[in-house]
Structures are given as C-alpha cells and as structure tokens.
Amino acid sequence: MERYFQPDIETASREQLTEIQNEKLLKQVKHVWDNVPYYRKKMEEKGVTPDDIKSIDDLHKLPFLSKADLREAYPYGLAGVPMKDCVRIHSTSGTTGKRVVAFYTQEDIDLWSDCTARALVAAGATKEDVVQVSYGYGLFTGGAGLDGGSHKVGCLTVPMSSGNTERQVMFIKDLNVSILCCTPSYAAYLAESMKEMGMTPDDIPLKAGIFGAEAWSEEMRQDIEKSLGIKAYDIYGLTELSGPGVAFECSAQQGMHINEDHFIAEIIDPDTGEVLPEGSQGELVFSSLDKKGFPLLRYRTKDICVLTKEKCACGRTHVRMAKPRGRSDDMLIIRGVNVFPSQIETVLLNLGYPANYQIIVDRVNNTDTLDVHVEMTQEMFTDKMSEVTKRQKEIVAGLKSMLGLKATVTLVAPKSITRSEGKAVRVIDNRKLY
Ligand code: DLL
C-alpha cells in the first residue's frame, strides 16, 4: 500500500489545492510587495499592485524573475526578511558571473525538509531505514536538503557528502544502508566501483536511490537499477526555490509530483513568455508560496518540460512534471539543429555503452562540428581496428537517426573519462572561445 509523509496534503482534491494556493498566493504577493523593493519596482513598472491579484488565475499578471535579476540583486536585493531572521544561506554552483545566494528562515528550512521527507517516503523510507546522503554538503543544497528530510522521517542518516568512493562503499555495506541519495552520475560511478570490488547486486543492501540535480535518461535509470539492484527515483529542485524536493517521483515513476502546496508551476513559451496550456512543452516557471527568506514569484528556471494533472496511480493529486530534457541553456544548436545532451545519452545507452561520454562541439571553417567521445566497457575493449570501426559506425548511425546530424565518434579506453562525484560535465563547447 502506498504511504505518504503528509497524506492529507499529498492527496488533497484539486479544489482544496486551489483554495490553499489562492490563499497563500495573496499573502505572498503582499509580503513581497511590502518587503522586496526590487520586485515591487518590477510590479510597478508593469502597472500591477497586490489588489490586482485576487486568485491564482491572476498569476500571469505578475512580472517574471530571471537569473539575470538574481545576479543584479545580489546579494540581498531579493531577501524577504531582515538578515537577523534568516538562519542559513545556500548558493548555486554557477561557473559564470555572480553566484546566486538564497536565504532561509528556520520555517523555510522546516518546510523544505517536509518536501524531501515526502520524496523519501515515496521511495519507501520508514524509520527502519538507513539513508546515506552522498550529495555534496555545503553551499550546494543536495546534502542539507535530503539530510533534513531523512531526519524528519526518522531514518538513521549517514551524512557522507560526495567523494571518497571506497569509504562510501564500505559504509553502504557495513551500515546496511538501504537508501542512497546522490546524483545519478555518482550512483553510476559507485555501481561501477562496487562491481570492481567484486560485489554483485545481491551483496549490496540498498533497496532504493533518490537521484537528481542533473538531467538523466530513462536508459540510465534502467542501468543504475540493474547494477545496484534497486528502484531508482528521480528528484528535482533548484537552489532559488529551496533545493531538492520541489518535485519528486512516486512508485508509479510517471513523472515527478510538484509540491503544489508550496510552489505554483507554470509552463511558458520561452520566446514570448505566454502561458501554455497543460500538456505543452515549454519553460518551467515557479512561484514560491511559503518561502519568506527568499520569496521568488514567477521565477524562470530555463528547464524545459511538460506538466500533467492526470490522475496518478499512487494516489497523489499534485501535478506531475516530466523529466526535464535539460536546461534551455544546455541545449546545443549545432548546424541549426537543437540537440540536448540527454538525446545523445539515450542513443549510447541503447547501444550498450555506459553513461561515460563527452560531447565536444567546435567550429571549423565556419561550420559546427560535433564529436562524441564514448567510453568502452572492459568487455568491449579491443585493439582490433575493424571492430572499433564497426562500433563507431553504429553509433554515428544511431546519432544520425536521433538528431539528423552527422557526428564524429571516438571510442576511448575504459575509465579514461573523468568520473563525477556531483553533477557531471558532459559538454565542452569550444565555440564559446571565439
Ligand atoms: O541541483 C538541487 C537538487 C539537489 C536537486 C539534489 C535534486 C537533488 P541547483 O544546483 O540550483 O539545485 O541546480 C538546479 O539542476 O534548474 C535543473 O536544471 C537541474 N536539475 C535538478 N534536478 C534535476 C532532475 C539542485 N531531477 C538545476 N532532472 C535545475 C533534471 C535537474 N535536471
């Protein structure tokens, strides 16, 4: 039987959810108007006041916030309460420009922990479980986020953080860890390491994993499930809204339930900003209903995905988001064709390769080039040229049919592509250097 962390709210009717959202939105708009001059100015520029927002149907009247706004307002410009009322910050791992710093009150942290507790319970966690949190702890939200939920459920929590793979494996075995939380690329790396240590899925006590923070394909899920002997659940979130647990997967694994009592989700056309009907693919936009420390309204995530309110087999009523295809930022335009790294991953994994690959894009004589470095497994490894050529041709054909693009494929030796302990870096775009 399906279990819930907060059954009343997780299975509330649409009418109840709408009522909650209406009430919270009005309060939040007032809170922001009164306390966040940066957003108030944006509202004034658009000619909107809190009186214009009478229900969630008026949400579209509010201005958007983007990453550029967050950078401009750095560090305190979007805080909703004085710093003396905040107890924590987290920050994004952005590599360019100023980092985004998000502030949390104690209540913000409490509600965030409820969200990750819901994700853990949906993955089968009870207080009998031992949860190893192998997301990074620190400014990154992964470690602290799952840690908070694990405590709420009452699990024995192992705050490992990422790195030191041998010790990770040792603790999983010795402490009988049943649930692993980390990025999918790190889960794949741990599975590979356990195999090398001579362990089979039967020797591994794990039963479930909660993996997120980066785009990962269905094929990668199947690989991880097989190699660790577990059920692998997706979890989504972003620092700007709290961290992991904005949405999470249930046992039905048909998309991630967005915690709608805390966040309102919209899908917009990324070019025009127009709100799109349910079922359309577009950019995900979130309004935070409860956060007081960093209360963002209509924040554009750049994540491209689809929402559905269709009934879910698990009994939860909250809207589901499909696996995001990646950020519109991650989308490569190669010779005019839109390419998501996840599409390349699907081709490779379907052909039996591990999820260790690198995409190198360049521009030679004014033409874009796409080179995919693919790691062979130990079993595939050969120095027979004819075999290597055959394999390369097969991948080139797979990529051509998926993307409609001709790529160059280089097969590389096992273990030659650097493993990731956090979010994997799959793309090197040398065109940016021009
Ligand atoms: O990655 C929070 C998180 C930690 C989520 C642990 C899940 C687990 P940021 O570093 O701010 O926060 O990055 C947020 O990562 O906008 C997406 O582009 C991407 N992302 C997060 N989860 C998923 C997922 C954390 N399950 C950005 N699938 C988001 C695909 C994801 N992309």
Side-chain angles (χ1 to χ4, degrees):
M1 206 194 62
E2 190 77 25
R3 291 177 48 260
Y4 314 99
F5 180 65
Q6 290 163 314
D8 290 350
I9 195 77
E10 290 180 70
T11 63
S13 67
R14 180 55 40 197
E15 293 69 37
Q16 286 169 318
L17 284 171
T18 304
E19 203 175 306
I20 294 170
Q21 290 187 333
N22 282 339
E23 191 184 313
K24 287 189 177 181
L25 178 67
L26 266 55
K27 275 197 197 142
Q28 185 74 319
V29 171
K30 176 95 176 48
H31 169 65
V32 171
W33 175 267
D34 290 342
N35 296 289
V36 186
Y38 186 94
Y39 196 77
R40 180 180 178 138
K41 186 161 164 268
K42 279 195 154 250
M43 284 175 69
E44 282 168 347
E45 279 164 9
K46 232 184 154 215
V48 194
T49 70
D51 289 340
D52 296 314
I53 312 299
K54 301 202 162 51
S55 76
I56 54 171
D57 294 338
D58 296 322
L59 189 62
H60 68 98
K61 295 180 181 162
L62 291 170
F64 290 119
L65 279 171
S66 67
K67 194 108 167 179
D69 289 307
L70 270 55
R71 291 207 173 112
E72 194 183 310
Y74 173 90
Y76 301 120
L78 285 158
V81 295
M83 281 305 115
K84 69 173 171 45
D85 295 331
C86 292
V87 296
R88 171 103 61 85
I89 72 146
H90 281 286
S91 175
T92 55
S93 45
T95 45
T96 50
K98 285 214 165 87
R99 279 172 165 259
V100 169
V101 176
F103 303 97
Y104 303 69
T105 64
Q106 186 57 53
E107 197 194 358
D108 292 341
I109 288 185
D110 232 37
L111 297 180
W112 174 25
S113 300
D114 284 346
C115 291
T116 51
R118 288 179 194 173
L120 279 154
V121 172
T126 68
K127 68 187 300 302
E128 308 293 325
D129 281 292
V130 182
V131 174
Q132 183 153 314
V133 182
S134 305
Y135 287 110
Y137 280 64
L139 288 173
F140 179 55
T141 54
L146 269 305
D147 189 290
S150 177
H151 280 86
K152 281 233 169 177
V153 180
C155 306
L156 174 61
T157 310
V158 187
M160 280 300 286
S161 202
S162 52
N164 200 335
T165 303
E166 267 182 32
R167 193 174 56 193
Q168 301 264 359
V169 175
M170 186 186 84
F171 272 155
I172 289 176
K173 220 166 167 227
D174 295 351
L175 300 177
N176 220 11
V177 173
S178 47
I179 300 181
L180 172 68
C181 306
C182 62
T183 59
S185 44
Y186 196 41
Y189 180 23
L190 283 171
E192 182 183 31
S193 307
M194 290 190 211
K195 192 171 169 205
E196 280 168 11
M197 291 173 185
M199 293 163 75
T200 69
D202 288 341
D203 303 319
I204 302 168
L206 293 173
K207 65 174 189 193
I210 303 186
F211 307 131
E214 61 185 358
W216 54 308
S217 58
E218 258 327 300
E219 290 76 15
M220 185 154 175
R221 186 213 300 272
Q222 284 157 25
D223 261 21
I224 295 174
E225 289 191 332
K226 203 153 52 163
S227 56
L228 288 174
I230 60 170
K231 188 152 172 165
Y233 295 82
D234 201 352
I235 184 165
Y236 169 90
L238 54 162
T239 315
E240 294 88 329
L241 293 170
S242 58
V246 171
F248 62 93
E249 223 171 31
C250 61
S251 57
Q253 295 190 320
Q254 297 285 325
M256 293 179 268
H257 291 280
I258 295 173
N259 283 310
E260 281 193 274
D261 52 326
H262 300 307
F263 307 102
I264 303 183
E266 297 169 279
I267 291 283
I268 62 158
D269 178 323
D271 297 324
T272 63
E274 185 201 346
V275 179
L276 299 177
E278 190 189 327
S280 318
Q281 176 168 290
E283 181 179 346
L284 198 47
V285 172
F286 282 110
S287 297
S288 177
L289 291 172
D290 286 302
K291 279 202 72 176
K292 291 289 175 280
F294 204 60
L296 300 191
L297 292 171
R298 299 203 89 200
Y299 179 62
R300 294 185 59 158
T301 63
K302 295 202 168 175
D303 290 322
I304 303 294
C305 93
V306 180
L307 299 181
T308 174
K309 283 190 182 139
E310 265 171 43
K311 198 165 181 272
C312 181
C314 77
R316 288 179 184 78
T317 45
H318 296 209
V319 66
R320 278 171 291 154
M321 58 182 272
K323 262 181 178 304
R325 293 188 78 179
R327 293 199 145 193
S328 48
D329 276 2
D330 298 334
M331 189 184 80
L332 296 159
I333 303 181
I334 302 172
R335 281 174 250 144
V337 178
N338 296 351
V339 175
F340 280 100
S342 54
Q343 294 175 294
I344 296 180
E345 181 173 298
T346 297
V347 171
L348 299 178
L349 270 70
N350 274 334
L351 290 170
Y353 293 88
N356 299 316
Y357 60 93
Q358 204 142 46
I359 300 163
I360 298 140
V361 187
D362 211 333
R363 184 162 289 160
V364 179
N365 297 331
N366 291 322
T367 305
D368 296 332
T369 59
L370 168 64
D371 190 12
V372 186
H373 287 196
V374 184
E375 204 180 275
M376 286 181 278
T377 60
Q378 208 66 51
E379 296 82 54
M380 295 171 177
F381 193 46
T382 170
D383 51 10
K384 231 170 105 194
M385 242 0 247
S386 60
E387 179 62 23
V388 171
T389 312
K390 188 176 136 242
R391 284 186 171 281
Q392 281 172 342
K393 277 194 176 152
E394 198 178 38
I395 303 173
V396 170
L399 292 172
K400 177 94 199 328
S401 105
M402 170 69 93
L403 312 169
L405 265 183
K406 176 122 174 39
T408 332
V409 169
T410 313
L411 285 176
V412 299
K415 310 219 72 162
S416 56
I417 292 179
T418 314
R419 302 294 186 263
S420 159
E421 292 169 353
K423 300 188 192 224
V425 180
R426 309 268 195 214
V427 179
I428 301 171
D429 193 342
N430 292 320
R431 294 176 301 183
K432 289 188 184 135
L433 302 175
Y434 287 87

